[in-house]
Amino acid sequence: MAQTAIGAQGERHRGRRALSGSSTQQHSQQMVVGNALSFRCRTPSTRRGINMRELFLLLGSLAILPSDLLAACVAQSGAQRPHLVELYTAEGCASCPPAERWMSSLRTSKDYVGLEFHVDYFDAQGWRDPFADPRYTARQKLLVKHSAKTTHFNTQAGIVYTPQVIVDGHVWTNWPKAAPPAFGTADPLPISLDVALGTTILAKVASPSGTSLPSSYQVDVALSENGLSSSVKAGENRGKRLDHDLVVRDFAGPLTPAQAETGAELKLPAGFDPAKSAVVAFVEDAKNSEIVQVLRLPLDQCKRLP
């Protein structure tokens, strides 16, 4: 069973830091990669070959293409959806590296899509996490608040801490010893993800049928990257080299379905490597943050036009 598979991974290492606050089947993914523009030489009706002047004009038109015009990539959800696993962590947290090693094991999983969100509330302790963002802290607090409403008689309900694992919008209490939270049983929501990779990333999420996504849902889009590392010089992990995978480098959301169809812009961080990165789009119920669909598109398939 999927719950057993994910629950058996990793080690229990959870020296938590609390904040005050309110709180399978294998997934199939179809990917189509195509050029944003195509050019075709046509000979005149006299059937003569293309002359040098025409060739130079053609090459010149290619040379003046915008530098950020790139190949377009499209992914569509399959009959079975993967589950979204979010880890809230920080380089200033001494108990977080084991959880991050566990997250790295999800890189090639077809049943789970991992996202590692670095929070900023450890930055005041001497080491500023280069991957931290206050938006990720805000998302963690909201997820914990929503999860607490559905968790009864649990002393951890409503507590924000690191490392904290959230599956499909529900806090995984007593991770990794306890079983993960129950997954939703609703039929997967069909979505498509269209990505244009340029000086920034434009990601569009829509229903492949052409109809709009339900207005009760909201959409989030994340840029993740593997193979990152830091040499920590202060704080609880001082003197250690920390390796990271599935790190969220930029994030857009929550978006209304209309905004998601128009497209969300993701900024490319310094040193960004498309070969190690992916765009992850997920749809959640606006009232309780429960995940209803997840789609991951590796960017190594999105090549620049020459």
Side-chain angles (χ1 to χ4, degrees), residues 12-304:
R12 178 175 176 82
H13 197 304
R14 303 171 52 249
R16 301 169 181 159
R17 287 300 179 91
L19 282 183
S20 58
S22 59
S23 26
T24 109
Q25 297 174 344
Q26 199 172 54
H27 169 65
S28 62
Q29 186 180 78
Q30 301 173 342
M31 183 174 295
V32 180
V33 181
N35 288 333
L37 289 181
S38 61
F39 294 90
R40 181 173 59 185
C41 298
R42 299 181 60 189
T43 58
S45 58
T46 58
R47 295 181 180 274
R48 65 176 175 82
I50 185 169
N51 61 34
M52 292 301 294
R53 181 175 179 275
E54 291 171 332
L55 178 60
F56 285 138
L57 288 174
L58 175 61
L59 293 176
S61 67
L62 289 171
I64 62 174
L65 283 173
S67 61
D68 61 345
L69 182 58
L70 307 173
C73 294
V74 179
Q76 291 189 359
S77 58
Q80 301 293 327
R81 77 164 180 87
H83 301 284
L84 180 66
V85 181
E86 301 175 56
L87 171 65
Y88 289 86
T89 183
E91 286 194 343
C93 163
S95 57
C96 288
E100 294 188 21
R101 289 193 291 270
W102 172 80
M103 277 291 286
S104 293
S105 69
L106 302 183
R107 285 178 302 179
T108 59
S109 175
K110 299 297 183 181
D111 298 322
Y112 304 97
V113 173
L115 289 176
E116 184 174 295
F117 289 90
H118 285 237
V119 296
D120 67 341
Y121 47 83
F122 274 87
D123 287 0
Q125 298 186 14
W127 177 252
R128 186 180 182 279
D129 189 330
F131 309 115
D133 192 303
R135 294 176 298 168
Y136 309 158
T137 301
R139 175 168 175 81
Q140 182 189 19
K141 290 180 178 179
L142 178 63
L143 290 177
V144 169
K145 178 181 178 180
H146 284 169
S147 187
K149 293 179 180 179
T150 59
T151 305
H152 303 286
F153 308 110
N154 193 313
T155 58
Q156 296 177 11
I159 300 176
V160 174
Y161 55 85
T162 57
Q164 189 165 45
V165 178
I166 297 177
V167 181
D168 282 351
H170 300 282
V171 173
W172 186 348
T173 55
N174 295 317
W175 171 90
K177 183 178 180 180
F183 301 136
T185 58
D187 292 336
L189 176 75
I191 63 170
S192 63
L193 172 60
D194 188 317
V195 170
L197 173 62
T199 53
T200 61
I201 292 175
L202 181 65
K204 299 180 180 180
V205 182
S207 170
S209 65
T211 60
S212 298
L213 296 174
S215 59
S216 59
Y217 291 156
Q218 59 191 25
V219 181
D220 301 272
V221 184
L223 171 64
S224 69
E225 189 171 7
N226 295 330
L228 301 174
S229 63
S230 294
S231 295
V232 181
K233 296 178 172 57
E236 294 182 3
N237 288 313
R238 181 177 181 178
K240 295 181 180 179
R241 174 188 169 90
L242 301 181
D243 298 319
H244 311 291
D245 291 307
L246 306 172
V247 179
V248 176
R249 306 305 309 275
D250 199 17
F251 187 78
L255 307 168
T256 66
Q259 290 173 327
E261 291 176 7
T262 301
E265 184 181 54
L266 298 170
K267 296 179 180 178
L268 304 184
F272 166 74
D273 186 352
K276 300 179 180 179
S277 304
V279 172
V280 175
F282 54 96
V283 183
E284 57 186 347
D285 191 320
K287 68 178 181 295
N288 57 19
S289 300
E290 184 168 317
I291 304 300
V292 296
Q293 186 57 276
V294 188
L295 190 55
R296 180 178 183 271
L297 197 163
L299 292 180
D300 58 358
Q301 301 295 323
C302 305
K303 305 299 182 183
R304 290 180 179 269

